[in-house]
Amino acid sequence: MLALVAMSLLVSPMQTAPAAAQAEDDRLPAITVTARRREEDAQDVPAALSVVDGDLLDRSYSLNTQALTTLIPSLNYSSANPRNTAFTIRGLGSSVVAVSQANDGLEPGVGFYVDQVYHARPATAAFDFADIERVEELRGPQGTLFGKNTTAGALNITSRAPSFTPEGFAEISVGERNFVQARGWASGPISDTIAYRLSGVSTRRDGVIENVRTGRNTNTLGTQAVRGQLLFQPREGFRTRLIADFANFQAYCCGQVYLRTGTSLRAPTRQFGGPQGLAAQFDYALPSTNPYDRLTDIDGPLGVDTNEGGVSAITDWNLGPATFTSVSAWRFWNWDAENDRDYTGLPVQLSQHIPSRQDQASQEFRLASNGSGPLTYVIGLYGFWQKITGRPISIYGPAAARYLIGTTTGANNTPVPANLLDGYGQDGRTVFRTSSYAAFGEVNWRIVPDVTLTGGLRYTYEGKDGSYRTTVSGGPATTNAALVNARLGVLRPQSYVASDRDGSLSGRGNIAWAVSDRVLAYASYARGFKSGGINMSGLPLDNANQPVLATAVVRPERNETIEIGLKNTLFDRRLIFNIDAYRTRVRDFQATIVENSTTQTVQLRGYLSNIPAVRVQGIEADLTAIVVPGLSIRGSVAYADGVYTDYPAGPCPLEVQTAATARCSLTGRRLASLPRLAVTGGLDYVRPVGRGELILHVDSASRGGFNGDPSLSRFTRIRGSNLTNANIGYRFADGTEVIVWARNLLDADYIQNLTIQAGNSGLILGSPSDPRTIGGTVRFAV
């Protein structure tokens, strides 16, 4: 496998003409990054990072964060739908939906930045990129310069800036399942001091999961993104870049298919399978028990309609000894989607959706020293404000009472009418606000010519306020106490307000030794934090059926990482090899706990809170090389060992669950959603043919198995997988390219993420991989 040949920095050269390729492709280009808020060669940065430049993004058709996981092994991405998006670095961040952005009151552990602007909701990472210069994955806590929620690391994305030299690009791709994608950009001068850039991408594709009930295929693609920029450069040393962007995602999406049936210790009539199980009680037959048949029979509405956008202004003013930078931004995110959350053809749940709106504003001021003297620094101030409103809506159908309650309820076995939940539902309103302020500074001191010390601190103060209110209505009228309680056990009205104030100190220390002009060694200690939050998905109730406010606030995570690394630039920059090792300990890890000491109830309850400790340690290595002129190879490997070192009261795996909620110790168990080994690799080959060039590109990524649910059930194990993409084409002398490509070239079947059906019946659903798709592309300069 290509990934086993080498391990890379994920950057390889791409030339636009045969003459240029002949002159330049015998050495690797220097890659500029801004990982320390100043432009530097990636090989001079004493930290673990991966860089994917714009050319590689274009060649690999990597247009979103999910596609980046094919190129960066330490980055993991899971998304049941755009709102329930979770991505992690080294297994940390928002590793499972239960503690990811399905809950508006919690924040990610991976900072997501686009053109220096922090994006607070990971859902925005599901949108397509338009015209990207590079993506930097910064691993480990970025506690000084990227201090907003970066216990795990940061994704730092930079788009291409306007140019005073006219340039343009256009691309059209078509493929199987009516795949059509158009991309392009244009840039040039408006005057001697003003330049513009316009970029856009549009993608559509038919669904890959067939609904045998409706005949309509689900999980379609329908995305558009546009970005406009103006660059004002009135004089030397002063420039302002204005950016406005908008992206939307509209699709008949996102459904899952049957994966497997698990068994528990519940009564046979409360489990999905078996002769007395729920499927048998309804005489229900699944459309397929093979997830890779990609069949469903859901009977509820399905659809996603989400968009995001914003404006920002970036000003850089060279004052001589230092450069002053201001980054001002406002962004919004709208979300609405409807799901059939029972994932079957039974009318259990007729509708579920949570229309949401997020607005955020941020302002950052930085002062960075110029030059390369023995002492350099960056200092700054940062402010961030956010408001999220939501409206949780659920409506149940005629099969819900039998499916969720059973035929009898209560101590006296009161018969349950079949229509008890028919039309019963929830409506509500949630409001969540955040204010965050930070001051930071970092100093680099070259104490001797070859040794540099780095120290940085960031203090952040945050205030968060949340209000949650839901009501229930509908269903047949009843005054029977047992039936009323049974119905309230499915949906119960709640109303509460909560707030939290917290200050956190983060930072890092680093020593870097330039062993030679080709080798850099470093060691570092970093401390980061992931903001605390407020549980905005409902709270446990006490014996008086009142929300337990003691469980509303989730404390911040505290992360400490020790890292050593070696960066090598060898053979006249024909080979780059980097390796690092790290050990991370997280205190107050945000997760689901099950207990009753704070609720003072007789029955145990599960809710989002903090567990004492998690530990992740591992080794990462990257290599890129020019094998012969025109042929470059790259590869990366990430080994990670993640363990819940102290998790005394977690959710129980399905196989040991009974009718009562229970808690289980998960101490010593492997961290959910983290493969132990991930490997990526690829090659680019350019060969002159006639007046043009033959071009070949291959990417391959393999990941080990992992558990897809925080309960760590044996039924929620996801097997390892491989994804290989490739394309071959011809580049004409004028730069026009004609390409044939294949996504999932080997037609590999694997599960991307899974869901345990609500009610713990044992039904496990999954999102299967997209099948192999073959298509063609025409690219040309304009």
Side-chain angles (χ1 to χ4, degrees):
M1 186 182 71
L2 289 170
L4 297 179
V5 176
M7 299 163 288
S8 99
L9 189 62
L10 302 176
V11 180
S12 57
M14 174 181 177
Q15 309 300 328
T16 57
Q22 186 68 31
E24 300 292 338
D25 66 1
D26 62 342
R27 66 177 59 188
L28 296 165
I31 303 302
T32 299
V33 298
T34 55
R36 297 195 289 184
R37 295 301 197 186
R38 63 176 74 244
E39 292 188 348
E40 301 175 279
D41 188 325
Q43 288 300 99
D44 294 334
V45 178
L49 56 86
S50 293
V51 186
V52 183
D53 72 350
D55 285 341
L56 182 53
L57 290 171
D58 294 339
R59 292 195 304 275
S60 61
Y61 296 91
S62 299
L63 298 184
N64 51 46
T65 306
Q66 180 177 12
L68 288 175
T69 60
T70 308
L71 305 172
I72 304 176
S74 56
L75 179 67
N76 289 293
Y77 180 95
S78 176
S79 181
N81 59 50
R83 183 174 190 265
N84 292 355
T85 293
F87 53 95
T88 64
I89 294 175
R90 295 174 170 172
L92 301 174
S94 298
S95 58
V96 290
V97 169
V99 290
S100 71
Q101 298 327 293
N103 191 316
D104 289 336
L106 297 182
E107 301 197 27
V110 175
F112 186 74
Y113 294 81
V114 180
D115 290 326
Q116 305 184 53
V117 176
Y118 174 69
H119 288 218
R121 312 315 292 170
T124 64
F127 295 98
D128 283 350
F129 303 145
D131 199 8
I132 297 301
E133 178 179 323
R134 69 181 177 273
V135 176
E136 304 167 25
E137 184 217 33
L138 314 177
R139 299 193 285 275
Q142 308 298 311
T144 306
L145 304 180
F146 295 85
K148 177 69 174 164
N149 298 315
T150 56
T151 49
L155 287 179
N156 186 29
I157 299 173
T158 302
S159 67
R160 295 184 175 103
S163 168
F164 284 93
T165 301
E167 63 180 19
F169 168 88
E171 171 187 286
I172 182 72
S173 300
V174 296
E176 294 179 283
R177 298 170 192 86
N178 291 318
F179 176 88
V180 178
Q181 184 178 84
R183 294 196 301 144
W185 62 77
S187 186
I190 296 176
S191 68
D192 291 341
T193 59
I194 302 175
Y196 78 94
R197 191 174 193 97
L198 293 174
S199 315
V201 57
S202 178
T203 305
R204 73 164 308 278
R205 188 206 63 194
D206 290 346
V208 295
I209 296 177
E210 180 186 352
N211 189 330
V212 299
R213 178 181 296 272
T214 65
R216 183 179 181 184
N217 287 350
T218 72
N219 292 19
T220 65
L221 287 180
T223 66
Q224 296 82 37
V226 62
R227 178 184 297 267
Q229 301 184 62
L230 290 175
L231 176 63
F232 297 90
Q233 198 163 309
R235 65 180 185 273
E236 185 73 20
F238 185 91
R239 55 187 285 164
T240 295
R241 184 179 173 191
L242 301 178
I243 306 172
D245 66 277
F246 176 81
N248 77 305
F249 184 108
Q250 293 177 309
Y252 185 59
C253 180
C254 298
Q256 295 183 307
V257 301
Y258 172 88
L259 178 59
R260 63 179 68 99
T261 299
T263 57
S264 68
L265 301 180
R266 299 171 184 266
T269 57
R270 306 312 306 147
Q271 303 197 47
F272 183 80
Q276 303 177 59
L278 293 166
Q281 293 174 44
F282 286 97
D283 196 25
Y284 172 70
L286 292 157
S288 174
T289 56
N290 180 357
Y292 306 113
D293 287 339
R294 299 177 174 85
L295 298 178
T296 185
D297 64 346
I298 58 172
D299 58 339
L302 192 70
V304 168
D305 185 358
T306 181
N307 55 71
E308 65 119 5
V311 294
S312 62
I314 306 171
T315 298
D316 294 300
W317 184 11
N318 190 329
L319 303 174
T323 295
F324 172 78
T325 298
S326 170
V327 182
S328 309
W330 168 82
R331 301 200 60 78
F332 71 91
W333 167 65
N334 286 315
W335 164 263
D336 194 10
E338 201 155 12
N339 298 296
D340 185 345
R341 294 292 292 178
D342 60 74
Y343 299 100
T344 69
L346 297 172
V348 177
Q349 191 167 39
L350 301 182
S351 178
Q352 184 188 54
H353 58 136
I354 308 176
S356 301
R357 165 83 183 196
Q358 184 243 10
D359 289 273
Q360 68 170 69
S362 60
Q363 175 63 59
E364 183 170 14
F365 297 115
R366 295 196 307 271
L367 190 68
S369 61
N370 292 326
S372 56
L375 195 69
T376 60
Y377 63 86
V378 177
I379 58 175
L381 298 171
Y382 180 77
F384 174 82
W385 305 268
Q386 174 185 228
K387 178 183 177 181
I388 308 175
T389 60
R391 186 184 176 190
I393 299 170
S394 277
I395 303 174
Y396 287 95
R402 169 70 69 89
Y403 204 94
L404 299 176
I405 300 174
T407 56
T408 63
T409 188
N412 297 322
N413 291 323
T414 302
V416 175
N419 67 342
L420 182 64
L421 295 180
D422 192 9
Y424 182 67
Q426 169 186 275
D427 198 353
R429 177 175 173 82
T430 65
V431 181
F432 178 74
R433 290 182 172 88
T434 298
S435 297
S436 178
Y437 308 93
F440 58 89
E442 184 169 277
V443 176
N444 302 297
W445 178 28
R446 192 167 65 244
I447 55 176
V448 295
D450 297 329
V451 178
T452 300
L453 296 179
T454 297
L457 291 174
R458 184 184 190 106
Y459 181 78
T460 302
Y461 179 80
E462 294 191 318
K464 299 187 177 184
D465 299 277
S467 64
Y468 181 93
R469 181 178 181 272
T470 60
T471 60
V472 296
S473 61
T478 181
T479 58
N480 184 286
L483 298 181
V484 170
N485 287 334
R487 194 149 62 183
L488 290 175
V490 175
L491 284 178
R492 187 182 300 268
Q494 279 198 42
S495 179
Y496 60 90
V497 296
S499 62
D500 185 41
R501 303 290 183 268
D502 183 71
S504 297
L505 184 68
S506 58
R508 62 181 172 184
N510 181 289
I511 182 169
W513 175 31
V515 181
S516 70
D517 59 354
R518 295 170 296 178
V519 179
L520 177 70
Y522 65 90
S524 65
Y525 165 84
R527 177 181 176 180
F529 79 99
K530 175 184 174 183
S531 297
I534 298 174
N535 192 339
M536 298 299 295
S537 293
L539 300 179
L541 303 174
D542 60 21
N543 284 330
N545 288 322
Q546 296 301 309
V548 181
L549 293 181
T551 66
V553 174
V554 181
R555 296 190 305 275
E557 291 182 357
R558 312 290 179 177
N559 177 309
E560 293 181 316
T561 295
I562 298 173
E563 181 177 289
I564 58 173
L566 197 65
K567 293 192 169 188
N568 304 272
T569 306
L570 307 172
F571 304 112
D572 194 22
R573 208 176 177 95
R574 291 180 176 85
L575 184 147
I576 292 175
F577 174 70
N578 302 327
I579 186 168
D580 66 82
Y582 66 91
R583 181 181 176 91
T584 296
R585 177 178 170 83
V586 185
R587 293 181 292 112
D588 288 331
F589 187 77
Q590 295 170 0
T592 299
I593 70 169
V594 181
E595 56 91 50
N596 65 355
S597 61
T598 60
T599 62
Q600 300 301 311
T601 61
V602 175
Q603 184 179 14
L604 294 171
R605 305 290 179 97
Y607 60 94
L608 292 173
S609 187
N610 304 84
I611 66 173
V614 166
R615 187 263 297 152
V616 182
Q617 58 190 12
I619 298 175
E620 300 155 335
D622 310 301
L623 181 147
T624 190
I626 301 294
V627 180
V628 295
L631 174 62
S632 62
I633 60 173
R634 61 192 176 276
S636 300
V637 60
Y639 171 82
D641 176 31
V643 176
Y644 296 107
T645 53
D646 194 354
Y647 196 172
C652 283
L654 180 67
E655 53 269 29
V656 299
Q657 288 185 12
T658 63
T661 303
R663 62 183 181 185
C664 292
S665 173
L666 300 179
T667 298
R669 301 285 302 276
R670 286 180 57 186
L671 192 65
S673 301
L674 175 62
R676 192 180 295 273
L677 183 66
V679 184
T680 66
L683 65 82
D684 282 281
Y685 181 55
V686 180
R687 178 181 178 86
V689 175
R691 298 182 58 190
E693 296 170 324
L694 178 70
I695 51 178
L696 173 67
H697 175 88
V698 180
D699 288 309
S700 185
S702 296
R703 297 180 187 275
F706 58 91
N707 204 297
D709 186 78
S711 69
L712 305 181
S713 168
R714 65 185 177 91
F715 296 115
T716 55
R717 181 78 180 169
I718 294 178
R719 293 183 302 173
S721 62
N722 170 267
L723 175 63
T724 299
N725 303 319
N727 56 69
I728 188 170
Y730 187 78
R731 183 184 299 130
F732 294 89
D734 63 358
T736 301
E737 298 180 12
V738 178
I739 301 168
V740 176
W741 48 263
R743 306 291 292 177
N744 193 4
L745 174 67
L746 305 179
D747 202 22
D749 288 330
Y750 57 91
I751 297 299
Q752 301 178 74
N753 53 75
L754 55 76
T755 300
I756 298 179
Q757 187 192 50
N760 290 315
S761 68
L763 179 60
I764 312 292
L765 296 309
S767 299
S769 55
D770 290 347
R772 177 172 52 214
T773 302
I774 297 174
T777 297
V778 177
R779 291 175 174 165
F780 52 92
V782 294

